[in-house]
Amino acid sequence: MSARLGAVAFAGALSTTLLAAPASAALAAPGGVTVTPKQNSIWVTWNAIAGATVNHYVATATDTDGNTATCNVSTTSCLIGGLTALKTYSVDVAGYETAESTSRGTAATASSSATPGPPAKPTWTMGYPAVSGSGKVDLSWTMAAGASSYTVTTTPTSAGCATSATTCVVEGLDPAKAYTFWVNAIGGGDTGTTSSTASAAITPGVPGAPLDVVVDATSDAAALAPFTHTGTVWWTPASSGGPVDNYTVTVTPKNSAIATPPSYTCAAVTALAGCAVTDLVDGEQYSVRVLANNSVGISAAATTTYWGGSPSMPQLVSPPAMMTGPSILLQWTAPQYNAANQKMNSTPAPLYTVEASPAVKAVTDTCVSTANTSCSITGLEAGRSYKFKVKALGGSIAGALTPTSYTDSYDVVGRPSAATGVKVEPIGTNKVKVTWALPTGNQVPVGSLRVYSSAEGDISAACNALAGVTATSTECEYEVPLPAGTRSYWVRTLASDVNYFSDSEKVTSATGSPGVPYLAGATPAGPGAVKVSFRRPAALGAGIASYSVNSSPDNKMCTAAYMATDDVVSCTVNGLTGGTSYTFSIKALGVAGNDDSKTVTSSAVVAGPPGPVTEAKAEAIDGGKVKVSWKAPTSTALSITSYTVKSVPAGNSCEILSSATPLECVFDAGAAGTKYTIWANTAAAGSSEVTTDAIGGGTGDKPGVPGGVSVMKVAQGLRVMWNGVEGATKYQAMAVAGGKSFWCAAIGAENKVCTIRGLAGGTQYTVTVRAVKGEVNGDWSTGVTGTPDAALPTIVWPATSPTGGGLSSSGGYNLYPTSWTTVTGYGWKPGESVWVYFYSGTMKWKVGGATAKADGTFAAAIQIPANATKGGKRLLAGGWGQDNMVRWQNAYIKIW
């Protein structure tokens, strides 16, 4: 094979190839060379050389500046890389017989040149993207070098388009959203070779309403009436909505006498240019409206009010402040707008001039061209009427002074001095005497005089047995209407013009008899006695000396001293008949008389002590025992707490609670002729007694003694347990302390537990148990000791009465929304919180709370909720009891 000088390829992105004259019998050129542009590269393919042995192929790309790049392969395709985007390259391919470069054959050139990507970035045509309808945007861009097609996408994602042209339309967008459009150039048919350009955000809907509309008065058309001027309307473009094509500005008079006043309209492409409106009348008020427009529609209107040229009117402060002697301090408020339609906290501020009729020299000296909003005017004549008005002067525009703006005028006269030394003296149950001294050194005469009460207003005509008062009167005797109470009185001296006057100091006085006391309760207080409790009335009248309480029937009475607080006052009515029902009337005795004072009457109360027990009898039973039984009294004042039975004359005793069933005691049979006396006991009203007939003893078998006796403490009681005894039909347990015994019974042979109630918390008791067989009592067991817990927690409702409150007949105080009161309680665990809640239907409010003291008591100030409705309501106190259990206790109240 002949030697050939072939192409030598240099390493690198681009290389320069030196070509030598081909040797004879060179390889033929490859056929079918094709090229495809890629990203900074060209893909070359060709056909193998037929009938020849080829070691490898070399493809060479050459740009217009002679720079080359190659690829060397044994196949029939390769990628020439490292090319410059958008440069045009010609490509040829040659085969080699051997690995040496001298064996290069004839080169074949591709049928077309190639331009590698990526294509150039397209640029947006001026004015595009452009909104062409609601949710519709037109797009246009410049052709990008190296691009064969284009795609358009949006952010946020929505519809797009793909095209070989340089325009497209995107529809179906949300008119309220802002979109960014991306145009992507695709090079040489290779979709992987792209360049992208983003647009500014655009909203395909109507523009947003303009902002911050203001009007500047820029010039006066003439210095003669009617004064007119030109105003320029300015605004700020909206920060939201679609693009704006142009603006429309309309200025219309608001208060014109013309039925259809003319409107002034102008159009502006941008807000920066503003909009000039001519022929605006000074002093006229205008409504200004600015709209933004585009192809989709019209924005919401932005509006403002403009005072044409002149400032708006100042406002007089009426009446003027009277000063010493015949002088006044005239005051006014600044106009809302000045002549340039600027708020008055802006410049220029107007000047003011005061006019007086008749003329006053002090006005022309001190109240002309003043920047103040007040003026002291002296030298007035006492009792003479004057008219004043204030005008605000507009700013200077183009050398001409705008018209003035006047306030309304009004009359002003001098003010007489006030009466002095006012005194109020109660002179009867419902009568007062008001006295005063007339003013002296008055420069303004007293034209008339009036006397006032804080409750009835002007009482002048009712003074002095309806003779009334005159300008020279110095006293007024006044019959105070019922209900009497505390009132303030004062005297008014008036000028001839009654709009100008002076008031004396106010003097407070209480008159009349007291109101109705608030009933707190009536409870038996011992044999033939009832304790009646109450609070002072809301209306004290001229004062309370004491209280009286009378019973019905029998007209028994007690008295109580007056207390200057809302604490409970009480007295005890004695000499009553036990078992009789009484009502009690309470009356507050006033220092100024009691003719019209009212009383409050309690509900019926039965005086103690209780009536005697009924059906009392003593009967012999088996085992040498006597059973004493009875039934509860038919009438009683207070609840019976217990019964005591004693044998006479031996003096053996038995005590059981009133809740025991049946009511009976069993004794060892005594001597023949023994009687038994039964007492029904109450806590405060004493006892009644009944003695049975005489009786002897009985016989029978005695049951055994119970064993295994134990106790468990409960609130104010002991739970007793024991082992059963053969043949027993029931058991009795007894707790003894301080000479008193308390019982409980368990009926049935299998029932070996019962609870003794009514014991004193914290007191140690000795407990024994005995078995009963039929009517025969067994012997008592060996005693065990136990100490009951304190009473369950409770609340006492309430400790103090609210202002204006009292008790209803159901026992709860009459309260009002927002009233304050105090709730107290006892039996709570010391150091723990007790909370008080107010219930109204299904609604609940926490209204107060306190910490239980060392003795288990608490006192919590509470306020009735403002939205509490009328009627019966419930208070609920909750916290830890002294038995370490969570406890809740109720109290009931009434809301008025």
Side-chain angles (χ1 to χ4, degrees), residues 59 69 219 289 297 340-341 399 779:
S219 66
R289 190 167 181 259
N341 194 36
D779 294 329

Side-chain angles (χ1 to χ4, degrees), residues 690-890:
V690 168
T691 301
T692 68
D693 295 333
I695 194 170
T699 61
D701 296 329
K702 182 185 295 185
V705 178
V709 178
S710 64
V711 296
M712 182 175 69
K713 63 181 180 179
V714 296
Q716 289 188 298
L718 292 171
R719 182 177 176 84
V720 187
M721 296 159 286
W722 57 87
N723 298 329
V725 174
E726 183 177 355
T729 58
K730 67 178 180 180
Y731 299 89
Q732 295 174 332
M734 177 175 63
V736 178
K740 289 188 176 183
S741 60
F742 298 84
W743 294 59
C744 69
I747 308 300
E750 300 303 320
N751 195 355
K752 297 182 284 295
V753 61
C754 68
T755 302
I756 303 174
R757 300 287 188 183
L759 306 181
T763 300
Q764 187 180 76
Y765 289 81
T766 299
V767 179
T768 55
V769 180
R770 71 181 178 185
V772 178
K773 182 179 180 182
E775 298 296 330
V776 179
N777 296 326
D779 294 329
W780 291 101
S781 69
T782 302
V784 297
T785 59
T787 303
D789 280 335
L792 289 175
T794 188
I795 57 175
V796 180
W797 166 250
T800 61
S801 170
T803 301
L807 281 179
S808 68
S809 59
S810 61
Y813 283 111
N814 296 336
L815 299 172
Y816 301 87
T818 72
S819 293
W820 282 90
T821 188
T822 302
V823 176
T824 65
Y826 60 87
W828 301 86
K829 186 173 181 179
E832 295 291 338
S833 297
V834 182
W835 294 104
V836 182
Y837 298 83
F838 175 90
Y839 278 80
S840 177
T842 60
M843 302 299 291
K844 177 179 78 173
W845 295 267
K846 181 188 284 188
V847 293
T851 300
K853 299 178 181 177
D855 62 356
T857 64
F858 81 95
I862 68 167
Q863 185 178 28
I864 303 302
N867 54 354
T869 56
K870 293 182 179 180
K873 307 297 175 187
R874 178 165 61 99
L875 290 179
L876 181 66
W880 289 98
Q882 294 182 1
D883 57 351
N884 286 320
M885 300 288 288
V886 175
R887 298 294 183 183
W888 297 92
Q889 293 295 330
N890 290 296

Side-chain angles (χ1 to χ4, degrees), residues 127 129-132 201-211 235-249 267-273 290-300:
V131 176
S132 57
I202 188 169
T203 303
V206 297
L211 307 171
W235 62 93
T236 302
S239 59
S240 61
V244 178
D245 294 341
N246 53 64
Y247 295 90
T248 302
V249 180
V269 176
T270 69
L272 296 176
V290 181
L291 302 172
N293 313 299
N294 68 6
S295 60
V296 179
I298 302 172
S299 73

Side-chain angles (χ1 to χ4, degrees), residues 430-524:
N430 293 311
K431 195 172 184 180
V432 296
K433 182 177 183 180
V434 184
T435 59
W436 62 89
L438 292 172
T440 57
N442 231 16
Q443 297 189 33
V444 177
V446 177
S448 58
L449 185 145
R450 297 175 186 171
V451 182
Y452 286 84
S453 159
S454 59
E456 291 80 35
D458 187 354
I459 61 173
S460 306
C463 289
N464 305 319
L466 304 182
V469 295
T470 67
T472 59
S473 297
T474 57
E475 66 178 38
C476 165
E477 291 187 0
Y478 176 57
E479 192 79 23
V480 180
L482 295 177
T486 301
R487 288 166 169 77
S488 295
Y489 299 88
W490 68 95
V491 178
R492 176 173 292 177
T493 52
L494 302 95
S496 56
D497 183 340
V498 295
N499 292 312
Y500 298 94
F501 54 84
S502 298
D503 284 339
S504 70
E505 64 176 339
K506 295 182 179 180
V507 179
T508 300
S509 175
T511 58
S513 57
V516 181
Y518 292 111
L519 176 67
T523 57

